């Protein structure tokens, strides 16, 4: 199971990638999360422009047997949502850290990143 | 014949099994003072023969459409039901009150649902339809809930006159979710466009129109659709499926959701139910559609098969996140509609619609010739119209029933004066002429 070192993680199984501009992050769910959920059939994301507080729900991910909430790892605003997922939700299974990204968030408070887990801490959290 | 067929020996065995010696012993933990003593206020027991006699007498007191010529409408109509429907639905594979779930549902039932969905989608001009809902009114209320969930807005606007019973159900459904239902003003029996423009805003989840409306009038659906679209609100159309044999399919004029009462499609009136809710939508709303859908697929060997699909929004998976908790459908009524549509075909349905509209207009013209009678509204209408008459509608209804005619629906239920008259393809010229004669004699 893959947990890239350059990403930050949450206890709710989201990953966060800081983009080059230093203002925005990509968010998705981890390899562990997709494998626990099984075949993902639908991803529902809030609209671009929606504002969030950290840990607020920014969408849901529907697998064959369950529906899970997606929690914002940092406060901010959705500036882009992955439109590919509307027709190809399976990308989340196939490529959780690349093609299966979910939203791009513009952060309100970059210091919140410091509170997130490192790859090693996340691995410890899930017992891997 | 005893009503509860337990013998004394049966009772003794049951009491012994639970460790009680007598019935009083069994209920000993119920305090004496709350136990009912004395005789129940019930008539003497009757024999089976006497019960049948009594029930037959009650049934014969009904003034049903076999005995009385019906001009009743307002949501339930006396359309012709081909005999083949009764024969086919009576097959034991179909004739059950039980809703089969995924594990037990047969391929035949699933295929019937699939065919029904396909026909409803084609009739309404929509991308997808579900396997049916309780009735037209609950389908409309579910469409309202869908729009509120989809748009994340709490208001809906009723454009024009919607069946008051359906509105009451929408209010019940919307009560807990604090949905605000706003009614536009009426103009000549239909939606007042200026009033609709005023009410629809960026807070509106959906604009809802019944077409033909409760008074039978046609609404300016093209103009209404524009107003909904300009405000990014869903456009929900409640349509009489029979009317779609002749009127434009709502999908062609931009409806996002089309619902309707399917009773007219091969289902008997049955004193008010069970009926059949039609629910069709654009494919973008597929994942939010309430109820169950049957889908066609192939198995691992490539053979065609049918499955219940995309019903994950309800209790199975979405649970508290679902937009609806409906998890069943009116399978037998949907089957009636499915058989009806397949027997009628496109041309047959068009013929039913044309005959209904022509006959309704003939009757409306004849009634207008009577002194003191006139059409209440001047809008175009389909098979139903409202009239004003020189005496209260309730009196006319009572007098005509003496002549074995159901004159129509008293518009008091819509807080109006007048009579709502429906004409189906079943009404003969002679029946309509008798109706006019009977009305003439009233004054």
């Amino acid at each position: 199971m893959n947990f890239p070192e350059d990403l930050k993680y949450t206890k709710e199984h989201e990953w966060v990638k800081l983009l080059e501009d230093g203002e925005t992050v990509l968010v998705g769910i981890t390899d562990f999360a997709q494998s626990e959920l099984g075949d993902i059939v639908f991803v529902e994301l809030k609209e671009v422009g929606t504002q969030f507080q950290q840990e607020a729900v920014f969408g849901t991910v529907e697998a064959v047997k369950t529906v899970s909430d997606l929690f914002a790892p940092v406060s901010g605003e959705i500036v882009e949502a992955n439109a590919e997922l509307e027709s190809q939700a399976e990308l989340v299974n196939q490529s959780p850290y690349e093609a299966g990204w979910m939203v791009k968030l513009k952060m309100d408070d970059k210091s919140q990143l410091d509170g997130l887990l490192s790859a090693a801490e996340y691995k410890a959290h899930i017992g891997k | 014949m005893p009503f509860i067929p337990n013998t004394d020996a049966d009772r003794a065995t049951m009491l012994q099994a639970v460790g009680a010696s007598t019935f009083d012993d069994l209920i000993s933990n119920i305090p004496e003072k709350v136990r009912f003593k004395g005789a129940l206020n019930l008539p003497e027991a009757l024999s089976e023969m006497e019960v049948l006699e009594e029930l037959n007498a009650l049934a014969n007191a009904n003034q049903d459409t076999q005995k009385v010529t019906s001009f009743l409408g307002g949501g339930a109509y006396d359309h012709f039901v081909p005999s083949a429907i009764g024969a086919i639905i009576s097959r034991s594979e179909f004739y059950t009150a039980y809703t089969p779930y995924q594990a037990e549902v047969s391929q035949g039932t699933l295929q019937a649902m699939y065919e029904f969905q396909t026909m409803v989608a084609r009739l309404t001009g929509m991308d997808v339809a579900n396997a049916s809902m309780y009735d037209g009114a609950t389908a409309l209320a579910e469409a309202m809930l869908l729009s509120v969930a989809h748009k994340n807005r709490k208001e809906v606007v009723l454009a024009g006159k919607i069946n008051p019973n359906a509105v009451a159900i929408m209010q019940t459904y919307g009560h807990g979710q604090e949905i605000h239902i706003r009614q536009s003003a009426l103009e000549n029996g239909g939606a007042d466009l200026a009033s609709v423009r005023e009410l629809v805003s960026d807070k509106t989840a959906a604009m809802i129109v019944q077409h033909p409306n409760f008074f039978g009038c046609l609404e300016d659906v093209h103009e209404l659709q524009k107003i909904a679209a300009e405000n990014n609100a869903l456009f929900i159309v409640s349509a009489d499926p029979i009317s779609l044999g002749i009127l434009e399919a709502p999908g062609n004029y931009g409806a996002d959701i089309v619902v309707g009462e399917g009773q007219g499609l091969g289902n008997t009136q049955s004193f008010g139910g069970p009926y059949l809710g039609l629910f069709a939508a654009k494919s973008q709303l597929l994942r939010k559609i309430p109820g169950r859908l049957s889908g066609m697929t192939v198995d691992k060997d490539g053979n065609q098969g049918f499955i219940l699909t995309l019903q994950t929004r309800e209790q199975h998976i979405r649970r508290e996140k679902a937009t609806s908790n409906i998890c069943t459908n009116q399978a037998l009524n949907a089957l009636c509609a499915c058989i009806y549509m397949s027997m009628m075909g496109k041309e047959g349905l068009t013929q039913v619609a044309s005959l209904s509209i022509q006959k309704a207009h003939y009757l409306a013209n004849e009634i207008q010739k009577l002194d003191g009678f006139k059409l209440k509204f001047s809008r175009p209408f389909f098979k139903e119209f409202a009239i004003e008459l020189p005496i209260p509608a309730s009196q006319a209804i009572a007098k005509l029933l003496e002549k074995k005619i159901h004159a129509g629906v008293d518009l008091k239920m819509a807080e109006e004066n007048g009579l709502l008259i429906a004409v189906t393809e079943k009404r003969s010229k002679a029946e309509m002429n008798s109706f006019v004669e009977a009305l003439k004699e009233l004054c």
Side-chain angles (χ1 to χ4, degrees):
Chain A
M1 205 161 274
N2 178 23
F3 302 102
E5 292 292 331
D6 61 332
L7 303 181
K8 291 281 195 176
Y9 299 87
T10 69
K11 286 184 175 172
E12 284 81 28
H13 314 290
E14 287 87 13
W15 56 259
V16 182
K17 180 182 189 179
L18 182 62
L19 297 177
E20 280 174 9
D21 63 4
E23 303 286 328
T24 55
V25 289
L26 278 189
V27 179
I29 63 167
T30 65
D31 198 7
F32 174 74
Q34 71 76 20
S35 104
E36 288 290 300
L37 286 166
D39 285 348
I40 288 164
V41 294
F42 189 53
V43 179
E44 187 173 25
L45 302 167
K46 300 263 186 187
E47 286 174 17
V48 168
T50 316
Q51 304 265 354
F52 294 96
Q53 292 300 309
Q54 192 174 29
E55 294 179 4
V57 174
F58 72 87
T60 57
V61 57
E62 182 170 326
V64 174
K65 286 195 166 28
T66 189
V67 178
S68 297
D69 284 330
L70 298 164
F71 298 97
V74 292
S75 305
E77 176 187 334
I78 296 189
V79 289
E80 196 181 338
N82 187 350
E84 294 290 310
L85 299 182
E86 282 174 26
S87 55
Q88 286 179 275
E90 64 272 21
L91 289 175
V92 178
N93 292 118
Q94 292 160 2
S95 172
Y97 301 111
E98 304 288 337
W101 69 275
M102 288 174 177
V103 291
K104 190 193 272 188
L105 288 177
K106 186 172 193 308
M107 291 182 287
D108 288 345
D109 175 6
K110 284 175 258 180
S111 71
Q112 286 176 338
L113 286 177
D114 301 335
L116 300 178
L117 306 176
S118 68
E121 285 165 333
Y122 179 67
K123 270 195 261 188
H125 171 64
I126 60 173
K128 295 279 171 183
Chain B
M1 186 170 73
F3 183 64
I4 299 168
N6 289 330
T7 63
D8 290 343
D10 291 338
R11 272 176 232 136
T13 310
M14 287 189 281
L15 287 170
Q16 196 187 1
V18 296
S21 51
T22 62
F23 181 71
D24 281 336
D25 191 14
L26 180 70
I27 59 168
S28 60
N29 57 346
I30 300 173
E32 275 295 330
K33 64 174 183 207
V34 301
R35 291 196 206 172
F36 178 75
K37 293 182 195 73
L40 293 169
N41 182 21
L42 289 171
E44 283 297 300
L46 298 178
S47 69
E48 183 181 355
M49 203 162 70
E50 288 165 324
V51 170
L52 280 176
E53 254 172 48
E54 177 135 358
L55 290 178
N56 277 326
L58 286 171
N60 288 330
N62 285 324
Q63 300 294 320
D64 67 68
T65 54
Q66 305 280 330
K67 293 184 207 150
V68 180
T69 310
S70 175
F71 294 91
L72 295 170
Y77 303 92
D78 187 25
H79 284 292
F80 180 67
V81 179
S83 308
I85 293 178
I88 297 171
I89 66 160
S90 316
R91 288 187 61 104
S92 58
E93 298 93 322
F94 293 126
Y95 208 65
T96 170
Y98 176 71
T99 300
Y101 282 78
Q102 186 78 281
E104 322 109 353
V105 65
S106 73
Q107 285 294 300
T109 297
L110 288 169
Q111 184 171 2
M113 278 182 195
Y114 184 82
E115 305 287 356
F116 167 80
Q117 290 168 190
T118 306
M119 288 189 260
V120 171
R122 289 191 183 156
L123 190 62
T124 54
M126 303 305 282
D127 301 320
V128 59
N130 76 6
S132 77
M133 314 215 62
Y134 295 140
D135 55 26
T138 52
L140 184 58
E142 289 282 352
M144 172 186 76
L145 293 186
L146 190 163
S147 71
V148 166
H150 183 68
K151 289 291 180 190
N152 205 17
R153 299 173 178 180
K154 284 286 190 186
E155 275 184 21
V156 294
V157 173
L158 308 183
K161 192 64 185 177
I162 290 170
N163 188 316
N165 291 337
V167 175
I169 288 168
M170 288 164 69
Q171 278 160 345
T172 305
Y173 268 55
H175 177 77
Q177 296 197 24
E178 294 171 355
I179 296 170
H180 187 200
I181 300 171
R182 309 183 76 181
Q183 171 68 57
S184 79
L186 298 181
E187 189 263 321
N188 186 23
D192 178 292
L193 290 177
S195 159
V196 174
R197 274 194 198 96
E198 209 166 281
L199 290 179
V200 178
S201 71
D202 60 4
K203 292 189 179 67
T204 311
M207 181 210 287
I208 300 174
V209 63
Q210 182 178 334
H211 180 70
N213 71 21
F214 178 68
F215 298 129
C217 298
L218 303 187
E219 295 281 0
D220 189 348
V221 283
H222 291 87
E223 207 51 44
L224 290 171
Q225 189 275 335
K226 273 187 217 154
I227 300 171
E230 279 159 16
N231 291 279
N232 191 23
L234 292 185
F235 184 46
I236 299 174
V237 178
S238 171
D240 172 356
I242 296 287
S243 77
L244 299 179
I246 201 166
L247 297 179
E248 191 170 11
N252 293 355
Y253 52 81
D256 295 291
I257 304 173
V258 182
V259 295
E261 173 51 67
Q263 176 270 323
L265 301 171
N267 283 273
T268 55
Q269 288 176 286
S270 307
F271 300 101
Y275 282 176
L276 172 67
L278 309 179
F279 193 107
K282 282 188 175 164
S283 59
Q284 292 93 309
L285 300 172
L286 180 63
R287 289 204 159 258
K288 295 197 169 107
I289 291 175
R292 34 169 48 192
L293 285 90
S294 175
M296 185 166 70
T297 184
V298 286
D299 68 10
K300 68 181 171 59
D301 301 320
N303 300 313
Q304 186 189 66
F306 298 89
I307 47 158
L308 286 179
T309 186
L310 286 170
Q311 50 166 354
T312 52
R313 294 152 308 288
E314 324 133 357
Q315 353 114 299
H316 314 314
I317 294 177
R318 285 216 159 238
R319 294 169 186 272
E320 78 282 359
K321 295 187 190 78
T323 50
S324 163
N325 58 16
I326 288 281
C327 54
T328 186
N329 72 308
Q330 296 281 69
L332 198 66
N333 299 76
L335 181 62
C336 291
C338 186
I339 300 165
Y340 178 85
M341 286 187 278
S342 64
M343 291 184 77
M344 289 293 174
K346 271 187 191 173
E347 285 179 18
L349 198 63
T350 302
Q351 210 178 345
V352 171
S354 324
L355 285 170
S356 300
I357 195 172
Q358 285 164 16
K359 292 180 176 195
H361 282 74
Y362 169 79
L363 182 61
N365 281 335
E366 293 302 306
I367 290 174
Q368 283 194 96
K369 291 178 191 164
L370 303 176
D371 282 342
F373 288 82
K374 64 170 189 160
L375 281 187
K376 206 168 161 63
F377 310 111
S378 61
R379 280 181 189 256
F381 62 91
F382 175 55
K383 68 181 181 195
E384 203 162 14
F385 54 93
I387 60 163
E388 283 175 9
L389 57 179
I391 58 169
S394 56
Q395 274 182 33
I397 289 167
K399 291 259 186 207
L400 266 70
L401 189 53
E402 291 167 12
K403 302 190 172 190
K404 299 282 179 197
I405 297 170
H406 280 309
V409 172
D410 190 341
L411 281 176
K412 206 164 65 183
M413 73 172 279
E415 287 161 3
E416 293 270 353
N417 289 317
L419 187 64
L420 185 64
I421 297 170
V423 187
T424 67
E425 81 284 4
K426 276 177 79 176
R427 294 292 74 80
S428 67
K429 194 167 181 182
E431 285 171 335
M432 290 190 280
N433 290 342
S434 305
F435 183 27
V436 175
E437 278 304 308
L439 285 179
K440 196 194 279 179
E441 286 169 23
L442 286 180
C443 315

